[in-house]
């Protein structure tokens, strides 16, 4: 097929348009930074597996997020990611325009097809402004994910939302619903709204002249964060200077707030279905945005993508069809204990080989190995386990080793300082407890790290963890979670059965950040010393039982196949 017309076979049936600022499909296409993008990629893969009619829209991010290096003093350094879109994507010939600051900015789409072994295909459009004829500054608007200043962010979100909606129209896609994965794409509602002008006959009421209900019927909005930084707001003087004049600003202020152009409020006001990404997060979102009906659909992971090859082999042998029916994992007891343990030790050796190759450090396969890999933000408290080094040494000297990874946003100085503190703790332990911090955490590193540890640690400040899919990736590989009761773990946790909790029950109903470091640290150390280490070192059948429960009681349910079926029935076809 002519690559310039390669999209046409996707336009004959109504589709769900899935918009996300970042999408993580593979490490070779570095258009993601972390959990939001990985979720988007997993969502698209499950849509392909389930043969759902979907098309995804994102930006090309020609220089990626960034490549992380840690210097000898433990400080993060950032470098552009050099990649070639033409090696992975097809450039389409259709273009569209979006006015930005009064200039017409041309946008071109690159096409990637996410193909499932089950036969489904989902097209993904990567929007690009690096086009001859655009002003030099506009050619770089799709270079960096979450780069630049506030103006750069606003312009990118105009391209994603308004430009993305126009591109779908230019390509003749028939869209039945628009799903906004976080508020970055909320301005697509303005393009939809501009097409409704005059649909309602009431010349005396400006707001009534725009068919808000029609736009609401078309839109689904998923909010992902209870952290204020996750809700983009722009000053009105900036918006009036940069934003295309397609909807009156008097109406925009009714929809987004007089104080600032709030994209979360815009999406909330113009979406019929709104959801948080875990039951607890749905409750917190209701308190953040009173007056809005907010549902909860818990996130998941794409099971096949995140299962180590060692467990793939075992699952294929005993649970044929599991990859497209993850619910079959509930039958994990059909797998002999020794084969579960052998698969785990294969994944562990795979990780340890990578650690030795990249850091020169040799890890002991017999020791309990704890993993922690999250974005380095202070509320995630990556350094919590190091709160009392003497106590940690008393518990784990000769019994324990730790693997860390994670990037901090280049402008998040406290996040960078936390990475530096962890490296100081590593030096202070002097190899009595081996600890490594793996550089440049991405999909390839995660594929080795998560399945290869024995225990997955997660220590966010309650209730700031919206969902936390890294723990789900651990569960599919039989790695139990040891986590604060927040996000998805509230739903997946059965104490001593699927893993272990850290700290008190989840009673917070606001986002003031009620984590008690002292209480959490004490519980972490106490359970590690008196429950987890004795089980791991002295009761192999008991440990394997928890591994199987993580698979059969967590992984069978917390996956994007289950999640997508809920979106279809609760959001898309309503």
């Amino acid at each position: 097929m002519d690559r310039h017309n390669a999209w046409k076979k996707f336009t004959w049936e109504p589709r769900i348009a899935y918009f996300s600022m970042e999408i993580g499909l593979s490490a070779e296409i570095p258009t993601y930074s972390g959990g939001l993008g990985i979720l988007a990629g997993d969502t698209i893969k499950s849509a392909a597996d389930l043969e759902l009619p979907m098309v995804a829209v994102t930006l090309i991010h020609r220089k990626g997020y960034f490549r992380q290096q840690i210097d000898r003093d433990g400080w993060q350094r950032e470098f552009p990611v050099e990649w070639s879109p033409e090696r992975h994507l097809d450039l389409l010939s259709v273009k569209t325009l979006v006015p930005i600051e009064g200039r017409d900015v041309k946008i071109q789409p690159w096409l990637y097809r996410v193909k499932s072994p089950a036969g489904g295909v989902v097209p993904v459009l990567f929007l690009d402004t690096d086009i001859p004829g655009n002003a030099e500054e506009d050619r770089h608007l799709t270079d960096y994910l979450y780069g630049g200043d506030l103006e750069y962010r606003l312009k990118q979100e105009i391209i994603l939302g308004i430009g993305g909606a126009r591109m779908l129209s230019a390509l003749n896609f028939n869209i039945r619903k628009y799903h906004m994965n976080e508020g970055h794409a909320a301005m697509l509602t303005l393009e939809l709204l501009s097409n409704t002008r005059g649909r309602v006959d009431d010349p005396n009421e400006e707001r009534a002249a725009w068919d808000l209900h029609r736009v609401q019927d078309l839109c689904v909005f998923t909010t992902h964060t209870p952290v204020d930084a996750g809700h983009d707001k722009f000053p009105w003087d900036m918006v009036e200077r940069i934003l295309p004049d397609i909807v009156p600003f008097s109406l925009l202020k009714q929809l987004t707030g007089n104080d600032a152009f709030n994209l979360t409020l815009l999406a909330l006001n113009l979406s019929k279905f709104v959801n948080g990404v875990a039951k607890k997060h749905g409750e917190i979102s209701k308190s953040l945005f009173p007056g809005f009906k907010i549902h909860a659909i818990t996130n998941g992971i794409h099971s096949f993508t995140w299962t180590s090859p060692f467990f793939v082999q075992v699952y294929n042998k005993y649970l044929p069809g599991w990859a497209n029916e993850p619910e079959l994992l509930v039958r994990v007891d059909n797998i002999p204990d020794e084969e579960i343990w052998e698969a785990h030790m294969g994944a562990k050796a795979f990780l340890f080989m990578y650690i030795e190759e990249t850091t020169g450090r040799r890890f002991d396969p017999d020791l309990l190995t704890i993993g922690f890999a999250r974005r380095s933000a202070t509320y995630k408290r990556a350094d919590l386990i190091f709160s009392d080094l003497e106590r940690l040494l008393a518990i784990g000297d000769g019994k324990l080793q730790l693997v860390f990874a994670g990037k901090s946003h280049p402008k998040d100085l406290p996040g960078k300082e936390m990475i530096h503190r962890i490296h100081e703790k590593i030096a202070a332990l002097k190899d009595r407890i081996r600890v490594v911090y793996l550089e440049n955490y991405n999909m390839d590193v995660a594929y080795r790290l998560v399945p290869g540890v024995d225990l997955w640690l997660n220590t966010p400040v309650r209730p700031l963890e919206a969902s936390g899919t890294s723990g789900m990736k651990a569960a599919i590989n039989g790695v139990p979670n040891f986590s604060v009761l927040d996000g998805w773990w509230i739903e997946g946790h059965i104490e001593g059965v699927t893993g272990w909790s850290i700290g008190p029950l989840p009673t917070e109903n606001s986002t003031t950040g009620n984590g008690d470091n002292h209480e959490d640290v004490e519980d972490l150390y106490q359970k590690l010393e008196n429950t987890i280490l004795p089980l791991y070192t002295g009761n192999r059948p008991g440990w394997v039982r928890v591994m199987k429960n993580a698979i059969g009681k967590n992984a069978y349910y917390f996956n994007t196949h289950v999640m997508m079926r809920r979106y279809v029935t609760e959001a898309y076809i309503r």
Side-chain angles (χ1 to χ4, degrees):
M1 179 182 291
D2 179 0
R3 67 183 178 87
H4 295 299
N5 297 310
W7 78 91
K8 290 187 176 179
K9 67 178 181 179
F10 299 117
T11 62
W12 65 272
E13 65 175 325
R15 287 185 176 261
I16 309 301
Y18 184 83
F19 281 66
S20 184
M21 179 61 85
E22 51 173 299
I23 294 180
L25 297 169
S26 76
E28 294 179 330
I29 304 176
T31 55
Y32 64 94
S33 71
L36 182 72
I38 299 302
L39 171 79
D42 286 6
T43 295
I44 294 162
K45 291 172 186 175
S46 277
D49 288 341
L50 298 171
E51 299 188 65
L52 300 179
M54 179 177 278
V55 55
V57 181
T58 189
L59 302 188
I60 193 77
H61 305 307
R62 283 178 171 272
K63 298 185 185 300
Y65 183 43
F66 66 89
R67 178 173 56 85
Q68 179 198 50
Q69 284 186 1
I70 309 293
D71 68 21
R72 63 177 60 191
D73 295 320
W75 290 101
Q76 172 181 290
R77 307 298 180 197
E78 303 94 24
F79 301 89
V81 178
E82 301 298 337
W83 73 290
S84 301
E86 58 272 12
R87 293 183 58 187
H88 307 281
L89 316 173
D90 290 328
L91 179 62
L92 304 183
S93 58
V94 174
K95 293 180 176 62
T96 193
L97 296 173
V98 171
I100 296 177
E101 285 186 311
R103 301 184 304 275
D104 280 339
V105 178
K106 288 189 290 187
I107 304 170
Q108 64 187 6
W110 296 77
L111 173 67
Y112 184 84
R113 304 165 190 82
V114 175
K115 300 178 180 179
S116 166
V121 182
V122 172
V124 183
L125 301 175
F126 293 81
L127 306 181
D128 183 14
T129 62
D130 189 7
I131 305 171
N134 277 342
E136 184 64 23
E137 64 182 290
D138 296 334
R139 294 187 68 163
H140 298 290
L141 288 176
T142 51
D143 276 0
Y144 289 99
L145 172 62
Y146 306 137
D149 56 15
L150 200 59
E151 286 194 9
Y152 189 85
R153 173 72 68 92
L154 176 60
K155 292 173 183 178
Q156 282 196 326
E157 295 182 350
I158 291 170
I159 293 164
L160 177 63
I162 298 174
R166 290 184 179 182
M167 184 60 72
L168 290 174
S169 179
L171 292 169
N172 294 314
F173 276 93
N174 180 5
I175 304 302
R176 65 177 296 162
K177 292 280 186 181
Y178 294 82
H179 186 166
M180 294 169 278
N181 187 42
E182 197 52 281
H184 307 118
M187 280 183 276
L188 73 83
T189 62
L190 303 184
E191 178 66 12
L192 300 181
L193 197 58
S194 71
N195 295 328
T196 72
R197 176 67 170 166
R199 285 183 175 272
V200 177
D201 297 324
D202 188 349
N204 298 316
E205 176 58 50
E206 180 183 59
R207 179 163 177 160
W210 305 79
D211 194 345
L212 302 184
H213 294 297
R214 178 172 174 80
V215 176
Q216 290 166 345
D217 285 343
L218 286 170
C219 291
V220 174
F221 173 48
T222 300
T223 177
H224 282 266
T225 176
V227 180
D228 188 62
H231 302 283
D232 286 342
K233 306 179 188 73
F234 303 93
W236 278 111
D237 59 342
M238 180 187 296
V239 173
E240 291 172 2
R241 178 168 47 85
I242 294 174
L243 186 67
D245 184 18
I246 59 175
V247 173
F249 284 101
S250 56
L251 176 58
L252 284 185
K253 290 184 177 181
Q254 294 180 47
L255 296 171
T256 71
N258 286 314
D259 296 334
F261 183 60
N262 186 322
L263 288 185
T264 299
L265 283 177
L266 179 63
L268 287 167
N269 276 309
L270 289 176
S271 299
K272 186 174 183 179
F273 185 91
V274 178
N275 69 283
V277 290
K279 289 180 180 178
K280 182 67 173 181
H281 179 239
E283 295 170 7
I284 296 298
S285 297
K286 289 177 186 176
S287 69
L288 275 176
F289 305 106
F292 292 99
K293 185 175 183 180
I294 300 177
H295 305 263
I297 296 179
T298 302
N299 281 344
I301 61 160
H302 186 252
S303 301
F304 184 76
T305 293
W306 296 108
T307 303
S308 80
F310 304 95
F311 272 94
V312 167
Q313 185 176 7
V314 171
Y315 293 158
N316 285 346
K317 178 180 177 181
Y318 289 97
L319 305 171
W322 69 276
N324 211 32
E325 295 182 77
E327 56 268 35
L328 291 174
L329 295 170
V330 77
R331 302 178 184 174
V332 67
D333 284 339
N334 289 337
I335 304 175
D337 285 8
E338 57 270 20
E339 295 197 42
I340 291 286
W341 186 251
E342 184 179 346
H344 173 63
M345 292 305 290
K348 199 170 183 180
F350 188 47
L351 169 62
F352 288 5
M353 181 172 62
Y354 178 77
I355 290 173
E356 188 168 0
E357 289 173 354
T358 56
T359 72
R361 306 288 299 281
R362 181 169 294 181
F363 269 43
D364 185 341
D366 293 328
L367 298 188
L368 176 70
T369 304
I370 297 177
F372 185 108
R374 309 296 308 279
R375 178 167 57 88
S376 183
T378 52
Y379 78 89
K380 294 182 184 287
R381 297 190 298 182
D383 57 349
L384 191 72
I385 194 171
F386 300 116
S387 297
D388 184 339
L389 287 189
E390 289 187 9
R391 178 86 182 272
L392 182 61
L393 281 167
I395 295 168
D397 192 354
K399 303 175 185 176
L400 184 65
Q401 51 201 6
L402 302 165
V403 185
F404 283 80
K407 298 177 179 180
S408 174
H409 187 280
K411 294 183 179 179
D412 182 4
L413 297 182
K416 290 184 175 184
E417 289 168 357
M418 185 161 62
I419 293 174
H420 176 66
R421 281 199 307 276
I422 290 173
H423 281 83
E424 289 183 326
K425 302 294 187 182
I426 292 173
L429 288 169
K430 300 182 187 298
D431 269 349
R432 293 176 63 188
I433 294 178
R434 293 188 191 93
V435 188
V436 294
Y437 199 107
L438 299 179
E439 285 184 334
N440 202 44
Y441 189 54
N442 62 15
M443 291 182 71
D444 283 350
V445 177
Y447 186 65
R448 293 167 170 82
L449 195 165
V450 181
V453 298
D454 298 304
L455 186 69
W456 194 250
L457 181 66
N458 189 33
T459 51
V461 174
R462 294 174 301 275
L464 303 183
E465 178 82 286
S467 182
T469 54
S470 63
M472 302 174 190
K473 298 178 182 73
I476 189 74
N477 292 286
V479 175
N481 275 258
F482 184 30
S483 175
V484 167
L485 285 168
D486 200 8
W488 83 279
W489 187 232
I490 298 172
E491 301 166 48
H493 162 263
I494 306 173
E495 185 68 17
V497 177
T498 58
W500 298 270
S501 63
I502 297 171
L505 295 174
T507 57
E508 298 84 3
N509 291 310
S510 71
T511 58
T512 54
N514 297 315
D516 184 328
N517 275 19
H518 176 76
E519 187 175 5
D520 291 346
V521 167
E522 179 58 34
D523 199 38
L524 188 160
Y525 287 152
Q526 188 273 328
K527 285 180 179 172
L528 185 59
E529 179 178 18
N530 299 316
T531 303
I532 295 171
L533 268 167
L535 183 66
Y536 181 82
T537 58
N539 184 357
R540 177 66 50 73
W543 186 268
V544 174
R545 171 56 46 195
V546 180
M547 293 176 66
K548 282 188 168 183
N549 288 336
I551 298 165
K553 291 180 168 61
N554 286 164
Y556 92 99
Y557 180 77
F558 293 100
N559 57 74
T560 43
H561 276 41
V562 169
M563 182 193 80
M564 287 308 293
R565 290 187 180 108
R566 289 196 61 193
Y567 274 116
V568 168
T569 57
E570 297 177 35
Y572 295 163
I573 64 174
R574 279 191 169 186

